[in-house]
Amino acid sequence: GCVLVVSVVEQLAQWHNSTVKAAMERLCNYIPGKYQIICHMLCRIDREMNADVVCHSLKLCKQDPGQPLCHLYPPPKVSWFSTFFKATDCGRSFKAETGPSITCFTGFSSVCAFPLLANLCEKIKYVIRNKLPFEDFDGDKFSTFPTLRGYHWRGRDCNDKNTTVYPGRRPDNWDVESDSNCNGIWGVDPKDGIPYEEKFCKGADSQGVVLLGDSAGAHFHIPPEWMTVTQMSVKSFANLPMAFTDELDWPQFSEITGFLNSTIGGWTDSLYLRLRRRNRCNHRDLQNISQNGTLARNQLLDNPAIVIYATIGNDVCNGNRDTLAHMTTPKEMFSNVVQALQYLDSRLPNGSHVILTGLVDGRFLWDNLHDRYHPLGQLNRDVTYSQLYSYLDCLQVSPCSGWLTSNETLRNLTSERALQLSNVLQEIARSEKFTNFDVFYMDFPLRQTAEEWHKMGGEPWQLIEPVDGFHPSQIAAALGTSITWQKVLREWPQVLGKENPFNDHIEAVFKDQGGH
């Protein structure tokens, strides 16, 4: 993170032909008010130091004994030790005309120590620890607040003071008096005295969509304009508070649970939106439980659900040096997934469905990105994805040492293990039976997605997140939805339920009642 920030500051100075101090002030002016104090952590940088040197001097980057020195940029011409000495000796006191020097912040590794950020940090820590909505007054796991695991992740609550009111439940007394399932359908038709929920939704096979996934399912994304100085402006950082409080995830635009128009380079198409168009009674019945979390489904009171079980890479991806030794084995995969399905069988209402998604073939990443320039390297053509992958691997924070590597043998072995684990999932779908749901298997549709995008005139690298060079992009998510939907519609139409013939009537009544 430090290297990214310092790199941006240095490039801003270069692009605008200004001092580093002026570039820092420019960046701070871009960032929303209460976050500007982060800027002052690095308020004096010598033009002769590169980002690696600065961050080592701040002790935000370190070198353990016996570990190679990790650097993203070429080392300075002078020795590292003399450069570090210069960096840490560049100022020993606060100067009114220039502000505090780098040494004022040496060893200061936590921005949460800043008073203005302490409260935000505590909120984020709570959410990361519990994976539950921060604002949930009735404790039903649904919220009226968008981020901090709020309604960007699960359908929006319509009464946060009543634990029996939430998206996905079967209507209480056909919702004659109030909207108990938050789908916007309630009250009685004055023409015939029949409750709207009964008239439009009875027998309509209402069901929700639930994603059990990893960071790809949560739709991890860092906007490239945050570090591309030629595109940087106040507008670039307008979504910074929302992004941070969503853990840099964008489930509201995702392939499974997306429901808002995308603002991150593509369009939103999701399984939820298609189910909602098929049956308007499914409004708001979505849950994105990625990177851990708790399923909110009452077996007796709620509608069935379509559950997408999509951990497409975590079982083979880790940042360990001996990455193969830390991958999930086929035996472990079978045990873990069956255990998870048994848990779901005790929670999901009868008539639910589970779709197991195979692991991705991550060789696609290196093959299409390794020699391209990362957003940080586009100005000076000095940082490729290959360099970024090596840097992250050196720091032992690579999201996937087995695929993000120049070692072709290791990439092939990682894909071989991924295929073995996908075969385990396929066997589970074929052989295991459960009381409350049926199980299906489908391969991760990467090849089909690339083919569809090629037909549209696109390039394969555009299907990958530009900043991390690892996750599926917004375009890949939208195309993947279409491919998944067509496969389910063709091979397992019973999963999607019936198309509700009353959708137009529902919309008309909803608008007449002032809904939106």
Side-chain angles (χ1 to χ4, degrees):
C2 174
V3 169
L4 292 179
V5 172
V6 176
S7 297
V8 168
V9 173
E10 290 174 336
Q11 290 185 27
L12 272 173
Q14 177 185 345
W15 181 248
H16 293 282
N17 195 24
S18 69
T19 64
V20 172
K21 183 174 184 294
M24 197 73 222
E25 291 172 351
R26 183 185 299 272
L27 179 62
C28 289
N29 288 333
Y30 290 157
I31 293 175
K34 67 179 181 179
Y35 293 84
Q36 289 186 4
I37 197 157
I38 300 174
C39 296
H40 302 298
M41 195 171 66
L42 298 167
C43 54
R44 188 181 178 192
I45 303 170
D46 193 307
R47 284 293 290 269
E48 296 178 17
M49 310 173 204
N50 68 25
D52 297 309
V53 174
V54 170
C55 294
H56 275 278
S57 70
L58 288 171
K59 302 191 187 308
L60 292 174
C61 296
K62 64 179 182 177
Q63 181 184 12
D64 293 332
Q67 178 189 351
L69 189 64
C70 302
H71 57 93
L72 184 60
Y73 297 92
K77 294 178 181 179
V78 295
S79 73
W80 279 87
F81 291 108
S82 62
T83 310
F84 285 161
F85 178 80
K86 178 181 178 182
T88 54
D89 196 45
C90 66
R92 296 187 178 279
S93 62
F94 183 91
K95 297 180 181 179
E97 68 276 13
T98 60
S101 68
I102 284 177
T103 51
C104 297
F105 297 104
T106 298
F108 191 77
S109 60
S110 175
V111 296
C112 290
F114 287 115
L116 293 180
L117 294 178
N119 187 44
L120 174 64
C121 286
E122 285 305 311
K123 284 186 176 183
I124 292 176
K125 287 177 183 177
Y126 173 91
V127 171
I128 290 174
R129 184 171 60 249
N130 294 281
K131 305 297 183 185
L132 290 171
F134 178 75
E135 290 193 5
D136 178 17
F137 298 108
D138 57 12
D140 59 10
K141 302 184 180 69
F142 295 89
S143 177
T144 59
F145 189 74
T147 62
L148 293 168
R149 293 277 169 158
Y151 69 75
H152 281 172
W153 299 79
R154 305 177 195 246
R156 185 171 182 169
D157 203 342
C158 55
N159 186 342
D160 208 17
K161 297 179 180 179
N162 188 335
T163 189
T164 66
V165 175
Y166 53 83
R169 67 162 295 173
R170 293 199 301 273
D172 181 20
N173 190 29
W174 293 116
D175 284 355
V176 169
E177 297 181 355
S178 62
D179 189 5
S180 66
N181 55 15
C182 301
N183 68 357
I185 305 168
W186 64 281
V188 176
D189 189 338
K191 297 176 183 177
D192 53 22
I194 300 175
Y196 287 118
E197 182 89 40
E198 181 179 8
K199 176 179 288 191
F200 297 142
C201 300
K202 184 178 182 180
D205 289 348
S206 298
Q207 57 187 344
V209 59
V210 177
L211 172 68
L212 304 179
D214 48 26
S215 56
H219 207 34
F220 183 84
H221 168 79
I222 298 174
E225 57 269 25
W226 288 3
M227 55 190 67
T228 308
V229 297
T230 56
Q231 303 174 13
M232 199 172 290
S233 66
V234 172
K235 185 179 179 181
S236 304
F237 292 93
N239 53 18
L240 182 70
M242 180 188 70
F244 275 163
T245 50
D246 262 338
E247 306 159 55
L248 293 176
D249 295 318
W250 308 73
Q252 68 274 31
F253 306 144
S254 72
E255 178 178 353
I256 304 300
T257 63
F259 62 93
L260 294 178
N261 290 331
S262 173
T263 58
I264 57 173
W267 64 100
T268 301
D269 189 6
S270 71
L271 186 60
Y272 163 71
L273 285 176
R274 289 181 176 236
L275 279 171
R276 185 188 178 281
R277 286 198 295 268
R278 192 173 179 84
N279 181 4
R280 178 62 178 70
C281 301
N282 293 330
H283 183 50
R284 290 187 180 175
D285 195 356
L286 63 100
Q287 297 183 49
N288 190 314
I289 305 172
S290 295
Q291 298 177 281
N292 299 320
T294 305
L295 176 71
R297 212 68 175 181
N298 187 303
Q299 202 164 43
L300 300 178
L301 299 178
D302 297 350
N303 286 321
I306 302 172
V307 178
I308 310 297
Y309 190 117
T311 53
I312 66 172
N314 279 7
D315 287 283
V316 295
C317 285
N318 58 73
N320 295 290
R321 292 291 168 80
D322 53 343
T323 182
L324 290 170
H326 288 81
M327 293 179 186
T328 302
T329 66
K331 182 178 179 180
E332 290 170 336
M333 188 72 168
F334 185 89
S335 175
N336 292 342
V337 173
V338 169
Q339 183 179 355
L341 293 177
Q342 289 171 343
Y343 172 83
L344 290 176
D345 204 25
S346 69
R347 295 293 189 276
L348 292 175
N350 190 263
S352 296
H353 311 279
V354 174
I355 298 176
L356 305 177
T357 301
L359 280 71
V360 70
D361 185 348
R363 288 175 293 192
F364 185 88
L365 303 169
W366 178 270
D367 292 346
N368 289 288
L369 283 185
H370 75 276
D371 56 353
R372 295 189 61 83
Y373 289 109
H374 185 269
L376 275 181
Q378 288 175 6
L379 182 64
N380 296 311
R381 302 176 73 83
D382 57 353
V383 178
T384 64
Y385 283 94
S386 175
Q387 289 170 259
L388 175 69
Y389 294 157
S390 296
Y391 177 57
L392 296 176
D393 192 52
C394 180
L395 292 174
Q396 298 179 46
V397 295
S398 172
C400 198
S401 295
W403 276 324
L404 308 185
T405 174
S406 60
N407 187 329
E408 183 179 6
T409 300
L410 184 55
R411 297 199 304 270
N412 290 338
L413 288 172
T414 303
S415 288
E416 182 180 319
R417 176 61 60 85
L419 180 59
Q420 292 171 357
L421 300 185
S422 294
N423 288 338
V424 169
L425 295 173
Q426 197 166 9
E427 174 61 21
I428 289 173
R430 187 190 66 81
S431 62
E432 299 297 313
K433 304 300 178 185
F434 299 90
T435 302
N436 292 307
F437 55 82
D438 43 15
V439 186
F440 305 92
Y441 169 83
M442 66 176 294
D443 290 321
F444 186 82
L446 178 60
R447 179 181 57 79
Q448 300 96 312
T449 301
E451 290 174 356
E452 286 296 316
W453 185 231
H454 178 71
K455 291 177 185 176
M456 297 170 69
E459 297 289 340
W461 56 267
Q462 294 170 311
L463 300 175
I464 308 169
E465 274 296 317
V467 171
D468 62 59
F470 179 65
H471 291 90
S473 69
Q474 183 67 31
I475 294 170
L479 289 175
T481 297
S482 176
I483 293 166
T484 299
W485 180 268
Q486 293 303 323
K487 179 178 178 61
V488 176
L489 191 63
R490 182 176 62 253
E491 299 184 16
W492 318 309
Q494 72 275 21
V495 171
L496 302 178
K498 294 180 291 190
E499 190 160 1
N500 193 334
F502 299 108
N503 283 334
D504 291 340
H505 298 287
I506 295 171
E507 294 292 350
V509 171
F510 193 50
K511 290 175 182 176
D512 286 345
Q513 293 180 336
H516 57 275

